[in-house]
Amino acid sequence: MADAASRLVSVAEQLLGAPLPVRVRAWDGSQAGPPGAPVIVVRNRRALRRMLFKPGELGMARAWVAGDLDIEGDLYTALGAVAGLLWEHDDEGRGRSLADTVRDPAARAAVRDLIRLVGPPLPPAPPREEVRRRRHLHTRRTDKRAISHHYDVGNDFYQLVLGPSMVYSCAYWDAPASGGSLETAQRDKLELVCRKLGLKPGQRLLDVGCGWGSMAVHAAREHGVSVVGVTLSQEQAAFARKRVADEGLTDRVEIRVQDYRDVRDGPYDAISSIGMAEHVGAERYLEYARDLYGLLKPGGRLLNHQIARRPQQDETAYEVDAFIDSYVFPDGELAPLGTTVTMLERAGFEVRDVESLREHYARTLRAWVTNLEGDWARATRLAGFGRARVWRLYMAASALAFERNQIGVNQVLAVRTPETGTSGLPARTRAWNS
């Protein structure tokens, strides 16, 4: 009887219809696969049961979160190899379709061998960090629950990952290879948003999805504006309020636990929405855009900072990523950039500038992973073993996705242009990048 690793590699190659680009080390100490390749560690048979009952990304994610599956060596190299198996198959000869697998006697035999290897085929319970997937309703109640799952992990954990800035969106680096700090790059991003919004002393800013108050504090302190920040996270709001008080800005910054749909005290001179619109959902996006349009005074500006996915030939076939939906952002949805711009225009906005920060986000994510890995023992104490593993996998895989142009992030500057047609923007808008 062959050792476990050799059997696993043989089964995987039969099912994939291609050589396995990683090396496997199994629970019995055996190893198989190409020498020098990244090593996938299968710690027990339970990892295989998870993948057998949930083939593909979600089964592997469950095994990873539970610690049944691990990676030895460089995480990015290993994820890059595995991504090629899970997410980059197409219909042009790479990989094997399910129909081909079912028809192929050798592949069916491989599946039977896998079942014999894993023992009694009882599905293990999902890790407790997994959220039950459901239809994306995006009601006030479900949105609050989703936000709580993602953000109420503990402020100390987020401080460890994000650093002193407590900004949970991509930083703005001077150059891809510059040696600047994450803290400086995050400050520069906040300042970039303020310059695009043209903030002036005495104006009112609404910060939608204000997080831990970084944008609100920066805008009030550096530009003299009055800010209302809204979040659905109790933990974020408590942290942000203390931060505002420590900065002596309570007369200019108000932090509310409030849904943006319930804000009724407009008009505002400007609105910032940084890393929040991904939670809105496709069915609610036009409502979101119209609500923000209605909260702005004529001539007011919106800065919408949002992750985007690549468009599909058949947009009706789009499905939310199973791992992210189950473990990271419940009910989060990504839209193509063109869809976002169209919705903003349908709501009445004039879109004046679009800037891609894709490479900036890849570098930011790698910095966050470095922070997490650098204090791993404390991270697991703060968030728990499974949750810390969720974040490590999510951020590293996302960094690769940004680097490979599988997803992007864009700042869209839009104006509630009055009937006179006077936008109030300078003729050469990119002066704010200087």
Side-chain angles (χ1 to χ4, degrees), residues 406-418:
Q406 293 166 344
I407 53 176
V409 62
N410 305 281
Q411 289 191 348
V412 179
L413 179 65
V415 181
R416 179 172 175 167
T417 304

Side-chain angles (χ1 to χ4, degrees), residues 251-281:
D251 60 330
R252 275 185 279 163
V253 179
E254 178 188 2
I255 303 296
R256 304 174 184 169
V257 178
Q258 185 179 34
D259 193 292
Y260 73 92
R261 289 166 286 196
D262 296 327
V263 176
R264 296 287 183 267
D265 59 348
Y268 289 87
D269 297 282
I271 298 176
S272 54
S273 178
I274 306 173
M276 177 270 175
E278 297 89 341
H279 297 285
V280 170

Side-chain angles (χ1 to χ4, degrees), residues 58 129-131 133 149 321-328 330:
L58 187 55
E129 291 81 9
E130 183 171 316
V131 174
R133 300 181 73 196
H149 172 85
D321 180 276
F323 166 61
I324 292 178
D325 193 37
S326 299
Y327 286 96
V328 186

Side-chain angles (χ1 to χ4, degrees), residues 39-98:
V39 178
I40 304 298
V41 182
V42 184
R43 298 198 180 281
N44 49 54
R45 289 181 172 87
R46 187 171 54 248
L48 303 180
R49 293 190 193 109
R50 293 187 188 280
M51 292 185 281
L52 188 62
F53 281 91
K54 279 291 181 183
E57 179 183 344
L58 187 55
M60 292 191 72
R62 286 177 173 177
W64 168 271
V65 174
D68 301 327
L69 194 71
D70 217 331
I71 288 171
E72 188 176 275
D74 183 70
L75 178 62
Y76 297 101
T77 303
L79 286 178
V82 174
L85 302 178
L86 290 177
W87 305 299
E88 297 175 8
H89 282 193
D90 58 22
D91 297 323
E92 298 178 1
R94 290 187 297 171
R96 180 198 294 272
S97 71
L98 179 60

Side-chain angles (χ1 to χ4, degrees), residues 28-281:
D28 62 354
S30 61
Q31 295 193 44
V39 178
I40 304 298
V41 182
V42 184
R43 298 198 180 281
N44 49 54
R45 289 181 172 87
R46 187 171 54 248
L48 303 180
R49 293 190 193 109
R50 293 187 188 280
M51 292 185 281
L52 188 62
F53 281 91
K54 279 291 181 183
E57 179 183 344
L58 187 55
M60 292 191 72
R62 286 177 173 177
W64 168 271
V65 174
D68 301 327
L69 194 71
D70 217 331
I71 288 171
E72 188 176 275
D74 183 70
L75 178 62
Y76 297 101
T77 303
L79 286 178
V82 174
L85 302 178
L86 290 177
W87 305 299
E88 297 175 8
H89 282 193
D90 58 22
D91 297 323
E92 298 178 1
R94 290 187 297 171
R96 180 198 294 272
S97 71
L98 179 60
D100 289 340
T101 300
V102 171
R103 286 193 294 264
D104 186 349
R108 292 200 302 271
V111 172
R112 289 194 295 269
D113 188 38
L114 181 61
I115 293 172
R116 286 192 295 269
L117 183 61
V118 303
L122 298 176
R128 63 184 178 87
E129 291 81 9
E130 183 171 316
V131 174
R132 186 176 178 180
R133 300 181 73 196
R134 58 197 179 273
R135 182 171 175 266
H136 300 149
L137 298 175
H138 291 287
T139 64
R140 285 165 173 78
R141 180 180 178 183
T142 60
D143 281 354
K144 187 169 185 176
R145 185 170 57 201
I147 293 297
S148 178
H149 172 85
H150 186 77
Y151 292 107
D152 292 341
V153 179
N155 292 330
D156 290 342
F157 175 76
Y158 276 103
Q159 281 185 297
L160 184 155
V161 174
L162 304 180
S165 70
M166 288 297 280
V167 179
Y168 187 36
S169 55
C170 84
Y172 189 64
W173 306 88
D174 284 338
S178 68
S181 69
L182 174 63
E183 183 73 5
T184 298
Q186 290 291 16
R187 183 199 63 209
D188 290 348
K189 191 274 297 299
L190 297 175
E191 182 60 21
L192 176 66
V193 172
C194 291
R195 292 201 302 270
K196 287 183 177 182
L197 290 172
L199 298 182
K200 298 177 178 61
Q203 290 185 330
R204 297 184 74 215
L205 168 69
L206 174 63
D207 188 26
V208 179
C210 66
W212 292 273
S214 302
M215 176 64 189
V217 166
H218 182 90
R221 184 184 61 216
E222 304 298 330
H223 295 269
V225 298
S226 297
V227 187
V228 171
V230 296
T231 176
L232 295 178
S233 167
Q234 294 284 354
E235 289 198 28
Q236 284 186 334
F239 185 98
R241 286 167 181 157
K242 183 179 185 304
R243 194 174 185 182
V244 168
D246 290 346
E247 290 276 352
L249 295 170
T250 52
D251 60 330
R252 275 185 279 163
V253 179
E254 178 188 2
I255 303 296
R256 304 174 184 169
V257 178
Q258 185 179 34
D259 193 292
Y260 73 92
R261 289 166 286 196
D262 296 327
V263 176
R264 296 287 183 267
D265 59 348
Y268 289 87
D269 297 282
I271 298 176
S272 54
S273 178
I274 306 173
M276 177 270 175
E278 297 89 341
H279 297 285
V280 170

